[in-house]
Amino acid sequence: MTKNEKKSLNQSLAEWKLFIYNPTTGEFLGRTAKSWGLILLFYLVFYGFLAALFSFTMWVMLQTLNDEVPKYRDQIPSPGLMVFPKPVTALEYTFSRSDPTSYAGYIEDLKKFLKPYTLEEQKNLTVCPDGALFEQKGPVYVACQFPVSLLQACSGMNDPDFGYSQGNPCILVKMNRIIGLKPEGVPRIDCVSKVGYLQPLVAVQVSFAPNNTGKEVTIECKIDGSANLKSQDDRDKFLGRVMFKITARA
Amino acid sequence: MHQKTPEIYSVELSGTKDIVKTDKGDGKEKYRGLKNNCLELKKKNHKEEFQKELHLDDHKLSNRELEEKYGTDIIMGLSSTRAAELLARDGPNSLTPPKQTPEIVKFLKQMVGGFSILLWVGAFLCWIAYGIQYSSDKSASLNNVYLGCVLGLVVILTGIFAYYQEAKSTNIMSSFNKMIPQQALVIRDSEKKTIPSEQLVVGDIVEVKGGDQIPADIRVLSSQGCRVDNSSLTGESEPQPRSSEFTHENPLETKNICFYSTTCLEVSTSPVGTVTGMVINTGDRTIIGHIASLASGVGNEKTPIAIEIEHFVHIVAGVAVSIGILFFIIAVSLKYRVLDSIIFLIGIIVANVPEGLLATVTVTLSLTAKRMAKKNCLVKNLEAVETLGSTSIICSDKTGTLTQNRMTVAHLWFDNQIFVADTSEDHSNQVFDQSSRTWASLSKIITLCNRVEFKPGQENVPIMKKAVIGDASETALLKFSEVILGDVMEIRKRNRKVAEIPFNSTNKFQLSIHETDDPHDKRLLMVMKGAPERILEKCSTIMINGEEHPLDKSTAKTFHTAYMELGGLGERVLGFCHLYLPADEFPETYSFDIDAMNFPTSSLCFVGLLSMLDPPRSTVPDAVTKCRSAGIKVIMVTGDHPITAKAIAKSVGIISANSETVEDIAHRLNIAVEQVNKQDAKAAVVTGMELKDMSSEQLDEILANYQEIVFARTSPQQKLIIVEGCQRQDAVVAVTGDGVNDSPALKKADIGIAMGIAGSDAAKNAADMVLLDDNFASIITGVEEGRLIFDNLKKTIAYTLTKNIAELCPFLIYIIVGLPLPIGTITILFIDLGTDIIPSIALAYEKAESDIMNRKPRHKKKDRLVNQPLAVYSYLHIGLMQALGAFLVYFTVYAQEGFLPCTLMNLRVEWEKDYVNDLEDSYGQEWTKYQREYLEWTGYTAFFVGILVQQIADLIIRKTRRNSIFQQGLFRNKVIWVGIASQIIIGLILSYGLGSVTALSFTMLRAQYWFVAVPHAILIWVYDEVRKLFIRLYPGSWWDKNMYY
């Protein structure tokens, strides 16, 4: 029985060898060199044609697009909220007032984020009227100025540490950009927390009382005052709202 | 013509000895099946009984010896207590039913067969992935668990479905298996009792009346005019007389043994033919029982389609596993986490496995099975549907399959001329010259010298279908004369019978005396029929053209020539003569004494000969021709005599008109058989005796060299050997049969075909297919359907495999290029088990592209269901085009929402991070995680729609493999359009109806995205038309070889 098996194993090995290269017919993997040449040539032409076709159809498709404005915005009808500094993993900030290295990353991040908002960077931008929508028809689009001073204590102009060294950390809350979004009413961002906080439009400064150090503070910010900017969605926890935690140690 | 060949059955009777000897000698494969069989018998401790059976000598024993041997009394019977003991010892007198596979095993086989294993692996990988996730993060999402459950559910549901389909087709058969319990009249405790025949034991004395089945193997003790129908055992159509005489050494040939399950024929004469006998074997120990156990010992071969599907599953599973592992390795080396790599692996497996295909194949097969059932081919085993299509040799039984299984008048000889009678099923067209006055006399003899009558109450039944009580030849004559002359009963009434001597085997003639219907003729007419030579002896004159001529040497010679000619046709010949008794010697009042024979029985006037045979069915010659043109060899294998077999073979075209056997050539050239050049002979008639002495090589040589072969006088084992011989030629063998003796061969064959009406239960049990109308021509239908289904399965598989590439590419691109996942696993399942199911079944309704009955049967090992061109063309041509089309839809959706293709590259990691909720698109818009996810689902839906639209084109191009769609007709197969409609409707429901169900990850798609892939779909159609055009233009070219699947 085993003898038979061995023989058949040898046989199948020999068959494989013959399949890989058959010296009598000159076949390699079941095809002669000429046959391989033909088949490769065929696929070269065929796939070349398919690639060209695909590129062409993609090009046609791209022609339907506008450079400035995406064709559809139905998938993002309402903006999400996001906070700065960008958390590394989850939305949790932990720092120690007495240890500058523990918040150096946050300050770096905030500075980087605010850099485009400096007066120098914004001097070419238009000054837009306050309290009204600034609509443009194109073809040349301009952006509105956003004076960083509006962020008051969190602008980094007066306090390069953004309050971290005092134990009153600044967190910037940003509304996601959506092109062509027209909020109805007067939207504002409300933030709620158990500890006291300053309330600029887009920056939250949490002031930790000295006895509160080491405690975790949860803050939720929401867009409010606009009918079409949703802040209540069961599935999307960042749609018009954001929730984050801050822990400050001494 | 009745010379029996005595040793024919000795193979069967000394079977074991022979086999063991041969095996020791050379261990040839020839007897392997039988050897196993013997071993099996040994295992079952049946060996002793088998040996006893071999030395069956009860037919040689006297009544006294029998009584002694079985401890019984012929007059008093067994005592009931003794009978009870024997019943307890031997078990009931019934055949052990063949072992059935337990239902649960069948069910589990469906659960692990085919792709199920692969999907189970996928499901377990899902659960393992969740386990890993859970161990590191307790709040891990349950998605993987759900996916695993869905995969498991898919396997279980498709398994249940396939099991249900199988069970449904098996149930059709179970009605056949119900046997009516039989009663037997037995003498026990000196009393006649009726008991169920199951309770019979050896030594019982039983009485069997005409019309009853023989309840066990019995040794005849006394009988009266009993004849048995052994056709189910030996294939002889003629009734065999049974008496208590020991006439032959061979128990199968001797007259004093009746076999279990054969029938004692009804005879019209009173007293009714009865036989009293002693039971010598019961249940499985009877001859029939042995044959049945021989059948159950033969293993069931895998059907060709099962082999093909296995081959195909191997290919697909091989592709799936190797791509899966390849990309697992690539993913790991691209620094993906192992967990993610496992999830990729699952996706690749799911994309690669056509989950719905095996269920589709089952449905397709059962649709064909239903279609065939309508045409009287009942398929027991679904897979056998295709087997007929690949059949290359049909081994057909003669009696009842090729022939009508009833004696019919075939030829007449009078006025020195042979006339041909119409032997078709209704006898309607009798064209021979009926003007001769000899015919008038002959017809009178046929009508009057006959004792059988039609059963009453059949006025509206066509003559040929009317039931008659009595002997087969008498019945044939009655029907023959009724068709030609009209009301036979009326004629008999007008010619009142005065006296008669019934047929008996010593006289070999039958005689009756009648008044004539001519009122002026006062003479009495004596009519006689019987064995021709005995009749001729009694004659001194012969009637020619109505005139009596003296019977001289030359007329005797013409008689002999005619007799030999008719006998040579394998027909049973009867002679007819008459005599007008002189009115003065035999007045009407004369009292005839049939014992003393006080009337002349010599110097009669010979009128004519009439020959009868069991004629071929009228549809058979045409069917055989069709088989020929379809490249199928038809071999006749029968238990009947070679002369009869050859005659029938010639008349149905199994041996064609211009072919000769070696013996024919020898006869024509007047040389010895050995001198004939065997190459000249196209046909061969091989008897069981010759076969017995042949080695398997010699048999192979005969099977390979002769186109037209008839095997005659074969035993059940020999049928088996013949079938094995054919299978050694790499042929797919179909065996038709009805008798118990056929059942082992039916089982051994690739497809066994039993006769529904005439077939015995044993044959039906062993067969894969039952011909409900017993008509050989129905096989042709089966062949056609089988070939069509093979072609259409190719189309179905090609259709189904194509989209696998379109489902697989997204995963590969996702891993390598880092696009957001284009299509989800669940979405793939919705294609495989949703939109694609009805279209792939619809391909089963496609008509044949060309005359499939004019091509050779497919070669079992060369013409595969899934061949290389099919896989390559589906995967690398159409599949790839589909993938590109679907990607186009995907990219369109993303680009129009703000993510241009270049932005999407390598976006995967950021895209999938839960806490990145301000991911910028190409326009600087920022997306939360959930917004991206929703866009991803829109992408899934887009990709799904892309595949769907192109699958419509794929469905249309798969209608044909060679012809243009316009040749085939775009609208001829309406079911295809039902399929297309179903695709679109299911797609619409998924996108717009269930778009809000998050678990399914479908979204409402903009209407225009349905049309993005349409140009690609058209391209697929055009490309395939070009492919077909070149195949038609340049047959045999490089293109044809590489592109025709």
Side-chain angles (χ1 to χ4, degrees):
Chain A
M1 197 69 185
T2 45
K3 215 175 178 180
N4 275 344
E5 269 169 27
K6 253 186 191 168
K7 198 181 164 192
S8 72
L9 191 78
N10 272 338
Q11 259 177 349
S12 66
L13 211 72
E15 270 170 29
W16 268 103
K17 268 185 195 159
L18 208 64
F19 174 69
I20 290 167
Y21 183 71
N22 187 340
T24 46
T25 55
E27 282 175 344
F28 172 69
L29 293 176
R31 284 180 186 278
T32 59
K34 191 186 161 210
S35 169
W36 273 114
L38 261 172
I39 207 101
L40 289 178
L41 181 73
F42 171 80
Y43 278 103
L44 199 71
V45 172
F46 180 56
Y47 285 170
F49 165 73
L50 284 188
L53 182 91
F54 185 65
S55 311
F56 172 73
T57 49
M58 286 292 277
W59 176 80
V60 170
M61 184 270 288
L62 292 175
Q63 296 316 298
T64 66
L65 301 178
N66 182 314
D67 282 345
E68 279 79 27
V69 187
K71 187 156 183 161
Y72 299 115
R73 275 154 290 172
D74 58 322
Q75 307 263 326
I76 37 171
S78 186
L81 288 191
M82 198 51 196
V83 288
F84 273 89
K86 261 201 171 159
V88 186
T89 49
L91 291 178
E92 279 174 36
Y93 303 94
T94 313
F95 71 97
S96 177
R97 192 171 14 177
S98 51
D99 178 11
T101 53
S102 69
Y103 53 81
Y106 297 140
I107 292 171
E108 193 67 23
D109 215 16
L110 283 171
K111 276 185 179 157
K112 219 169 98 192
F113 177 72
L114 287 176
K115 204 177 169 224
Y117 292 89
T118 53
L119 279 175
E120 216 167 304
E121 295 276 335
Q122 295 201 342
K123 64 185 173 203
N124 296 333
L125 301 186
T126 322
V127 182
C128 303
D130 208 6
L133 286 174
F134 179 64
E135 281 190 74
Q136 302 177 68
K137 291 272 183 290
V140 185
Y141 293 93
V142 290
C144 291
Q145 279 189 356
F146 178 87
V148 78
S149 58
L150 285 176
L151 297 176
Q152 295 170 358
C154 289
S155 64
M157 292 162 84
N158 307 323
D159 179 5
D161 287 345
F162 296 93
Y164 284 82
S165 51
Q166 284 90 48
N168 304 324
C170 278
I171 308 289
L172 298 178
V173 178
K174 176 202 67 169
M175 198 171 84
N176 277 353
R177 178 163 43 171
I178 294 172
I179 295 170
L181 180 74
K182 288 183 209 160
E184 293 158 16
V186 188
R188 62 177 191 282
I189 297 177
D190 284 336
C191 293
V192 195
S193 140
K194 282 178 196 145
V195 289
Y197 64 100
L198 301 170
Q199 195 199 33
L201 256 181
V202 285
V204 183
Q205 187 169 36
V206 189
S207 62
F208 283 93
N211 56 344
N212 247 345
T213 50
K215 243 188 170 180
E216 198 182 68
V217 174
T218 307
I219 298 166
E220 190 182 13
C221 296
K222 261 188 187 176
I223 296 177
D224 205 359
S226 176
N228 67 339
L229 302 188
K230 297 195 180 67
S231 60
Q232 282 297 330
D233 192 292
D234 291 340
R235 297 205 190 89
D236 196 346
K237 299 280 184 271
F238 292 87
L239 189 71
R241 59 179 163 163
V242 65
M243 207 199 282
F244 54 92
K245 290 174 185 167
I246 306 172
T247 314
R249 275 186 236 103
Chain B
M1 74 192 226
H2 276 279
Q3 60 293 57
K4 302 231 167 174
T5 32
E7 282 90 12
I8 273 160
Y9 281 99
S10 56
V11 168
E12 183 169 334
L13 293 164
S14 52
T16 352
K17 274 195 219 154
D18 275 5
I19 293 152
V20 173
K21 237 189 279 162
T22 324
D23 258 63
K24 269 184 202 153
D26 51 13
K28 286 274 149 52
E29 187 151 303
K30 176 174 165 188
Y31 291 108
R32 208 210 273 157
L34 296 177
K35 188 186 163 195
N36 291 345
N37 199 12
C38 288
L39 292 177
E40 210 163 296
L41 286 172
K42 259 182 217 163
K43 266 183 223 153
K44 289 182 192 165
N45 290 328
H46 275 200
K47 202 195 164 196
E48 275 169 48
E49 280 98 327
F50 203 81
Q51 293 290 353
K52 198 171 100 192
E53 161 61 32
L54 296 180
H55 304 297
L56 182 70
D57 52 3
D58 291 341
H59 52 302
K60 298 178 200 161
L61 301 181
S62 70
N63 289 2
R64 169 64 41 90
E65 285 166 324
L66 279 170
E67 280 183 323
E68 230 167 78
K69 183 173 174 188
Y70 291 105
T72 183
D73 187 295
I74 289 175
I75 312 295
M76 319 241 283
L78 287 173
S79 67
S80 355
T81 44
R82 172 81 183 136
E85 277 171 32
L86 288 173
L87 188 65
R89 190 192 72 186
D90 295 341
N93 172 34
S94 61
L95 298 183
T96 322
K99 247 192 218 159
Q100 299 281 340
T101 325
E103 293 299 304
I104 184 76
V105 174
K106 281 192 206 163
F107 184 71
L108 288 179
K109 262 191 187 163
Q110 298 286 2
M111 290 292 156
V112 294
F115 297 117
S116 305
I117 291 280
L118 221 47
L119 290 178
W120 281 124
V121 170
F124 282 113
L125 284 179
C126 281
W127 292 322
I128 291 168
Y130 175 75
I132 298 172
Q133 277 175 327
Y134 184 78
S135 61
S136 60
D137 178 9
K138 296 277 182 264
S139 62
S141 95
L142 285 167
N143 278 350
N144 280 326
V145 177
Y146 295 147
L147 183 57
C149 292
V150 167
L151 290 180
L153 203 68
V154 164
V155 178
I156 292 172
L157 286 181
T158 49
I160 288 175
F161 180 76
Y163 170 78
Y164 168 75
Q165 284 287 348
E166 283 280 357
K168 219 170 60 178
S169 66
T170 326
N171 276 348
I172 308 171
M173 282 311 298
S174 62
S175 57
F176 277 123
N177 298 338
K178 280 176 204 148
M179 286 209 251
I180 308 146
Q182 280 178 29
Q183 303 287 319
L185 188 64
V186 64
I187 302 174
R188 280 188 189 168
D189 307 324
S190 328
E191 272 176 64
K192 281 193 184 178
K193 289 180 189 169
T194 305
I195 60 165
S197 49
E198 275 195 3
Q199 294 177 13
L200 285 181
V201 293
V202 285
D204 263 332
I205 308 299
V206 287
E207 255 181 42
V208 184
K209 285 197 308 295
D212 289 348
Q213 243 190 17
I214 308 290
D217 280 359
I218 58 174
R219 157 73 210 272
V220 180
L221 299 171
S222 65
S223 81
Q224 257 175 332
C226 169
R227 285 165 165 235
V228 288
D229 176 6
N230 268 0
S231 63
S232 81
L233 196 63
T234 62
E236 294 158 304
S237 321
E238 290 162 31
Q240 306 293 313
R242 280 296 176 260
S243 67
S244 56
E245 302 155 43
F246 160 54
T247 56
H248 203 287
E249 282 285 328
N250 186 331
L252 277 155
E253 300 275 358
T254 186
K255 277 188 183 166
N256 59 355
I257 290 187
C258 294
F259 296 104
Y260 180 40
S261 94
T262 58
T263 338
C264 183
L265 291 173
E266 279 184 80
V267 180
S268 61
T269 48
S270 58
V272 175
T274 56
V275 54
T276 310
M278 183 189 291
V279 176
I280 51 173
N281 273 319
T282 59
D284 290 333
R285 289 167 299 279
T286 57
I287 291 281
I288 292 287
H290 279 296
I291 296 174
S293 71
L294 193 60
S296 66
V298 175
N300 245 344
E301 301 285 307
K302 249 189 199 151
T303 58
I305 196 73
I307 294 168
E308 288 307 317
I309 288 173
E310 204 170 78
H311 174 238
F312 150 72
V313 167
H314 283 165
I315 290 178
V316 171
V319 169
V321 169
S322 44
I323 293 184
I325 290 173
L326 181 69
F327 275 82
F328 184 79
I329 294 167
I330 290 176
V332 171
S333 55
L334 283 175
K335 305 267 160 45
Y336 281 97
R337 286 187 301 156
V338 174
L339 181 71
D340 288 337
S341 308
I342 289 177
I343 291 169
F344 301 157
L345 187 60
I346 299 163
I348 288 171
I349 289 176
V350 172
N352 246 316
V353 171
E355 288 85 5
L357 186 57
L358 293 187
T360 313
V361 170
T362 315
V363 173
T364 311
L365 290 177
S366 66
L367 281 175
T368 309
K370 262 187 204 157
R371 208 150 55 197
M372 283 164 80
K374 266 188 208 152
K375 294 174 185 170
N376 292 320
C377 287
L378 195 64
V379 182
K380 264 173 69 184
N381 171 6
L382 267 191
E383 286 167 351
V385 166
E386 188 275 332
T387 315
L388 258 186
S390 33
T391 296
S392 48
I393 296 183
I394 298 178
C395 292
S396 178
D397 186 32
K398 177 181 75 75
T399 316
T401 314
L402 300 174
T403 67
Q404 301 170 16
N405 199 15
R406 61 160 175 239
M407 291 309 267
T408 306
V409 175
H411 291 98
L412 304 99
W413 179 79
F414 57 86
D415 294 348
N416 285 335
Q417 248 182 302
I418 290 181
F419 298 91
V420 182
D422 179 21
T423 52
S424 67
E425 273 80 348
D426 58 359
H427 269 41
S428 53
N429 191 22
Q430 300 292 2
V431 288
F432 65 90
D433 179 22
Q434 295 169 19
S435 60
S436 164
R437 286 196 290 137
T438 318
W439 163 246
S441 300
L442 183 58
S443 63
K444 198 161 232 174
I445 308 171
I446 295 169
T447 319
L448 298 180
C449 190
N450 194 329
R451 293 153 51 98
V452 298
E453 294 169 12
F454 291 112
K455 277 187 180 170
Q458 303 187 86
E459 283 72 24
N460 299 323
V461 184
I463 295 169
M464 293 317 289
K465 296 231 170 86
K466 280 186 185 171
V468 178
I469 308 166
D471 179 87
S473 346
E474 293 237 287
T475 306
L477 293 173
L478 172 66
K479 288 185 173 173
F480 180 67
S481 45
E482 179 92 3
V483 167
I484 296 178
L485 305 171
D487 195 341
V488 170
M489 291 304 138
E490 183 56 36
I491 298 172
R492 285 197 201 159
K493 238 182 249 165
R494 276 188 272 135
N495 297 275
R496 198 176 62 85
K497 194 188 284 176
V498 187
E500 77 169 339
I501 302 174
F503 184 88
N504 71 49
S505 44
T506 18
N507 285 348
K508 294 209 167 148
F509 68 80
Q510 178 179 351
L511 172 155
S512 57
I513 300 170
H514 299 261
E515 291 170 1
T516 59
D517 47 1
D518 181 357
H520 307 294
D521 193 348
K522 291 286 172 220
R523 290 178 301 173
L524 292 172
L525 174 66
M526 184 173 82
V527 288
M528 188 193 263
K529 75 169 183 217
E533 63 276 14
R534 295 305 278 290
I535 297 293
L536 195 73
E537 279 170 20
K538 297 183 189 299
C539 295
S540 58
T541 57
I542 183 164
M543 183 179 278
I544 292 165
N545 298 327
E547 307 289 334
E548 280 191 34
H549 294 272
L551 190 67
D552 52 29
K553 277 231 169 95
S554 70
T555 39
K557 204 177 168 215
T558 51
F559 159 84
H560 273 290
T561 320
Y563 180 28
M564 291 314 291
E565 192 175 337
L566 295 177
L569 293 172
E571 296 174 6
R572 181 200 287 187
V573 191
L574 286 177
F576 294 82
C577 63
H578 72 188
L579 181 70
Y580 282 96
L581 299 174
D584 46 348
E585 265 183 71
F586 301 97
E588 269 177 62
T589 50
Y590 187 82
S591 130
F592 291 94
D593 183 346
I594 54 168
D595 290 321
M597 297 241 206
N598 54 354
F599 49 86
T601 56
S602 60
S603 302
L604 312 179
C605 171
F606 192 86
V607 181
L609 290 172
L610 220 146
S611 69
M612 283 167 289
L613 85 166
D614 180 8
R617 291 162 177 277
S618 53
T619 47
V620 170
D622 191 37
V624 171
T625 318
K626 278 187 180 155
C627 281
R628 280 271 157 70
S629 63
I632 303 169
K633 199 161 157 179
V634 184
I635 294 178
M636 182 194 277
V637 183
T638 177
D640 212 340
H641 299 273
I643 299 170
T644 323
K646 189 178 167 189
I648 294 291
K650 279 212 150 161
S651 65
V652 298
I654 287 179
I655 295 180
S656 40
N658 51 4
S659 359
E660 290 177 309
T661 64
V662 173
E663 292 79 11
D664 287 336
I665 296 174
H667 186 251
R668 177 166 55 86
L669 302 175
N670 217 354
I671 52 173
V673 173
E674 291 75 27
Q675 290 174 294
V676 177
N677 178 7
K678 286 189 178 168
Q679 310 286 314
D680 295 344
K682 255 179 84 189
V685 178
V686 182
T687 65
M689 256 226 305
E690 294 162 0
L691 192 60
K692 208 185 98 187
D693 300 327
M694 273 182 205
S695 68
S696 51
E697 285 80 13
Q698 282 171 308
L699 177 62
D700 287 354
E701 205 179 305
I702 287 186
L703 289 170
N705 291 346
Y706 292 101
Q707 276 312 303
E708 303 167 343
I709 310 172
V710 171
F711 290 98
R713 271 325 231 181
T714 50
S715 71
Q717 271 100 338
Q718 288 178 327
K719 285 193 180 185
L720 210 58
I721 289 167
I722 293 165
V723 172
E724 280 172 343
C726 294
Q727 284 170 337
R728 271 199 303 276
Q729 318 274 316
D730 267 346
V732 176
V733 185
V735 170
T736 74
D738 54 358
V740 179
N741 55 344
D742 299 321
S743 55
L746 287 173
K747 200 85 184 275
K748 179 73 202 169
D750 294 286
I751 177 165
I753 305 166
M755 298 298 128
I757 304 167
S760 59
D761 286 323
K764 284 178 198 164
N765 269 330
D768 304 294
M769 185 181 275
V770 178
L771 295 185
L772 292 179
D773 56 356
D774 286 16
N775 191 344
F776 184 80
S778 304
I779 294 176
I780 297 296
T781 319
V783 171
E784 205 168 347
E785 291 288 350
R787 289 184 175 191
L788 186 60
I789 198 68
F790 186 82
D791 284 4
N792 285 349
L793 275 181
K794 256 189 176 181
K795 296 172 184 173
T796 302
I797 289 175
Y799 168 78
T800 315
L801 284 187
T802 305
K803 60 154 192 303
N804 279 0
I805 284 296
E807 291 168 353
L808 180 69
C809 285
F811 280 95
L812 309 188
I813 302 285
Y814 167 73
I815 295 168
I816 296 172
V817 186
L819 299 178
L821 187 61
I823 189 164
T825 315
I826 301 281
T827 324
I828 289 175
L829 289 178
F830 270 107
I831 298 175
D832 289 2
L833 296 169
T835 56
D836 261 9
I837 291 287
I838 298 175
S840 49
I841 293 171
L843 283 171
Y845 289 92
E846 204 52 52
K847 297 273 180 303
E849 276 176 69
S850 54
D851 193 356
I852 44 178
M853 292 309 282
N854 268 336
R855 66 176 193 218
K856 290 222 161 332
R858 75 183 177 94
H859 192 282
K860 209 158 61 166
K861 293 188 176 147
K862 286 182 194 147
D863 306 325
R864 311 303 308 247
L865 181 65
V866 175
N867 49 22
Q868 196 198 334
L870 186 145
V872 167
Y873 185 68
S874 299
Y875 277 147
L876 298 184
H877 294 216
I878 303 296
L880 208 70
M881 286 161 104
Q882 263 192 6
L884 290 181
F887 267 112
L888 181 67
V889 190
Y890 162 87
F891 279 125
T892 307
V893 167
Y894 273 79
Q896 298 197 336
E897 292 290 349
F899 288 93
L900 295 182
C902 47
T903 316
L904 290 175
M905 304 290 164
N906 289 317
L907 193 62
R908 192 190 79 88
V909 179
E910 285 296 302
W911 182 275
E912 287 180 351
K913 275 184 188 157
D914 277 328
Y915 55 87
V916 175
N917 278 288
D918 55 347
L919 187 75
E920 271 190 48
D921 64 16
S922 316
Y923 292 89
Q925 301 187 103
E926 291 162 323
W927 297 66
T928 66
K929 167 75 168 110
Y930 183 77
Q931 285 168 338
R932 294 197 305 268
E933 205 168 314
Y934 194 77
L935 179 60
E936 191 176 312
W937 294 343
T938 309
Y940 291 177
T941 315
F943 209 93
F944 164 83
V945 166
I947 291 180
L948 188 151
V949 166
Q950 294 175 92
Q951 276 295 80
I952 294 175
D954 190 24
L955 180 63
I956 291 172
I957 65 166
R958 299 300 183 182
K959 278 164 68 77
T960 59
R961 295 186 293 145
R962 178 185 291 276
N963 289 351
S964 162
I965 296 301
F966 303 102
Q967 284 171 301
Q968 180 81 350
L970 196 51
F971 299 99
R972 235 171 76 193
N973 179 359
K974 304 273 185 307
V975 191
I976 289 280
W977 292 96
V978 173
I980 291 175
S982 82
Q983 256 176 325
I984 294 170
I985 290 168
I986 294 174
L988 289 173
I989 291 174
L990 285 175
S991 173
Y992 299 107
L994 302 173
S996 51
V997 184
T998 34
L1000 302 181
S1001 51
F1002 278 97
T1003 65
M1004 294 195 197
L1005 201 66
R1006 281 204 162 71
Q1008 74 254 31
Y1009 292 143
W1010 286 74
F1011 300 95
V1012 175
V1014 169
H1016 268 87
I1018 294 169
L1019 178 78
I1020 286 175
W1021 191 348
V1022 171
Y1023 177 67
D1024 194 61
E1025 281 293 325
V1026 170
R1027 175 188 76 95
K1028 288 168 188 163
L1029 180 71
F1030 282 138
I1031 287 173
R1032 291 197 302 277
L1033 285 182
Y1034 307 106
S1037 64
W1038 177 88
W1039 184 273
D1040 189 14
K1041 274 182 211 143
N1042 283 284
M1043 302 291 264
Y1044 181 68
Y1045 56 86

